[in-house]
Amino acid sequence: MRKAAGRGGTAVLAALALMGVAGGAPAKQDAVHPRQESTGSVIAEWAGRVSGTVDPEGVLRAPDEAVWHAYVSLAMYNGVVGVEGRYAPYRWQARAPKGASAEAAAATAAYEVLVTGFPKAGPALETAWKASLAKVPDGPAEQAGVAFGQRAARHIVKLRANDGRGASVPFTPAPAPGVWRPTPPQYEGFATAWIGRLRPFLMEEPGQFRPGPPPALTSSQYARDLAEVQAYGARTGSLRSAGQTETARFVARVEIQQALGDHAARHGFDITETARLYAVANTVITDAMIAAWDAKLRYGTWRPITAIREADTDGNPATRADPAWEPLLTTPAHPDYLSGHATWAGALMRALEELFGTSRVDLFIHSAGTGTTRHYEYAADYVRDVVDARVWAGIHTRTADVVGSHTGEKVAAWSLRRYFQRT
């Protein structure tokens, strides 16, 4: 027999039954990733070096790191296509001298962007850069590639100057039912609000794809959303299965950069295709975050933990307060609507569908949260897991997830019609 979801669980279960909320399908079993020989792709190597450079202590939030992945990926992309052609450079028209090394250009572009932003990491970055160049034959091709990579890096650094990264963006609405406020246990303020006002990489402005408002507090949809997360997202006494719990933890800390490099290696991508893959993925992820945070700033809705604990103030007779309710995972310090993770997941998967020309994305995604790897054959499978996982984690309502994923898809579809096109 299933147990009730914490205090007030009987009322929640009754509400779920009346509203027809399903518990969701069990999560898939973890896949065993077949071992592959590395291609030694310079693009994947430097993309993998970004996290350790910008966040050596593992304390940055996702938006902070995502921006740097976009900077570095774009610099490498411009460096490579400036040598190899085939695709339109990103907001640049420069071309490298004939015969320049694309590998040297890519490594140098990444190195220069990172050392400009993180000069204290200079010695380690220089060592890695020299190791990359050691794989390129000495001579004029290498020298021309290095010089062009430096130009590509300078272009991105100049292009993104004063783009709003890390700026102070206040969020000070008066406390009221439905309005976000800092959540336990740390009660942090909305420190990442700046991402919602960052100058986009691809979109025209942060609110370009802003969705309509979330369900009203007094609506049946709001009550349905809250009942589901209250029953399935509770830390203890929830209706979550063991598989659903694992999915919630898996999704929380996925390693997308690694998955991209693995896909490129297994499918035989050359340096140009790999550079384009990373540039597309990292720019649409970051722009999707911008779109999600724009909505968070605009609507500022409270998180499930606050909504459930203070349900007796929402004016909705179909909700039930549980002052002691706790989510499975700690609630991030920003509003519910839109879900950032669901928004960028929708954007990434739509972008990969556009790039590959099929819904079959064939990704092996590893999670640092669970130490396991799952194989996602199709884009929709990953988006579905993310949407479900954030509810099962107790940190988002389903509407915030579903609308987020749809918004991300719009960001990617619009962007891929305008950038990274074949020449």
Side-chain angles (χ1 to χ4, degrees), residues 176-178 181 217 302 306-307 309-316 319 321:
R181 73 287 308 268
L217 295 184
W302 58 8
T306 311
R309 291 183 174 191
E310 300 184 20
D312 55 348
T313 69
D314 63 20
N316 192 324
T319 63

Side-chain angles (χ1 to χ4, degrees), residues 31-238:
V32 177
H33 184 178
R35 301 296 297 173
Q36 299 285 336
E37 291 297 322
S38 171
T39 62
S41 165
V42 67
I43 304 297
E45 288 174 5
W46 279 93
R49 198 163 279 120
V50 172
S51 294
T53 302
V54 307
D55 188 22
E57 304 300 323
V59 297
L60 284 183
R61 296 174 176 87
D64 301 88
E65 188 173 317
V67 170
W68 283 99
H69 276 294
Y71 292 161
V72 171
S73 295
L74 284 173
M76 290 195 291
Y77 171 79
N78 274 354
V80 169
V81 299
V83 172
E84 300 289 337
R86 291 167 54 192
Y87 299 103
Y90 173 78
R91 298 185 179 181
W92 203 31
Q93 298 302 321
R95 294 290 180 182
K98 186 176 181 180
S101 165
E103 290 81 0
T108 303
Y111 164 71
E112 292 287 347
V113 170
L114 288 172
V115 81
T116 298
F118 303 90
K120 290 184 179 179
L125 291 170
E126 184 176 6
T127 298
W129 175 58
K130 288 180 177 178
S132 292
L133 293 184
K135 300 174 185 177
V136 179
D138 293 338
E142 180 189 49
Q143 295 167 5
V146 167
F148 192 71
Q150 291 171 336
R151 289 179 61 194
R154 288 195 296 269
H155 175 71
I156 293 299
V157 170
K158 182 178 179 180
L159 199 62
R160 297 304 301 181
N162 302 311
D163 63 3
R165 179 174 54 84
S168 176
V169 176
F171 181 80
T172 56
V179 177
W180 182 84
R181 73 287 308 268
T183 54
Q186 296 179 320
Y187 295 95
E188 293 181 86
F190 190 2
T192 58
W194 60 268
I195 193 73
R197 295 293 174 262
L198 186 73
R199 178 164 24 99
F201 289 86
L202 308 171
M203 298 186 297
E204 294 174 346
E205 53 93 15
Q208 182 176 350
F209 297 98
R210 183 187 297 164
L217 295 184
T218 55
S219 68
S220 60
Q221 185 177 352
Y222 174 82
R224 195 161 50 241
D225 277 348
L226 201 63
E228 182 185 19
V229 71
Q230 189 169 0
Y232 286 90
R235 181 171 299 174
T236 59
S238 81

Side-chain angles (χ1 to χ4, degrees), residues 380-393:
D381 295 337
Y382 182 68
V383 175
R384 182 204 62 233
D385 270 5
V386 171
V387 168
D388 287 340
R390 306 314 264 175
V391 175
W392 296 337

Side-chain angles (χ1 to χ4, degrees), residues 207-301:
Q208 182 176 350
F209 297 98
R210 183 187 297 164
L217 295 184
T218 55
S219 68
S220 60
Q221 185 177 352
Y222 174 82
R224 195 161 50 241
D225 277 348
L226 201 63
E228 182 185 19
V229 71
Q230 189 169 0
Y232 286 90
R235 181 171 299 174
T236 59
S238 81
L239 300 185
R240 232 178 16 254
S241 69
Q244 290 167 341
T245 298
E246 203 278 342
T247 294
R249 296 188 184 281
F250 178 92
V251 164
R253 295 179 61 194
V254 290
E255 298 178 350
I256 296 299
Q257 306 302 315
Q258 182 184 88
L260 297 174
D262 172 77
H263 179 97
R266 287 187 294 109
H267 289 265
F269 282 24
D270 63 20
I271 189 172
T272 309
E273 293 164 332
T274 305
R276 183 178 182 234
L277 173 64
Y278 275 94
V280 167
N282 285 309
T283 53
V284 300
I285 283 174
T286 307
D287 268 26
M289 287 185 177
I290 294 171
W293 263 251
D294 168 80
K296 290 176 186 289
L297 285 168
R298 173 64 181 85
Y299 299 115
T301 53

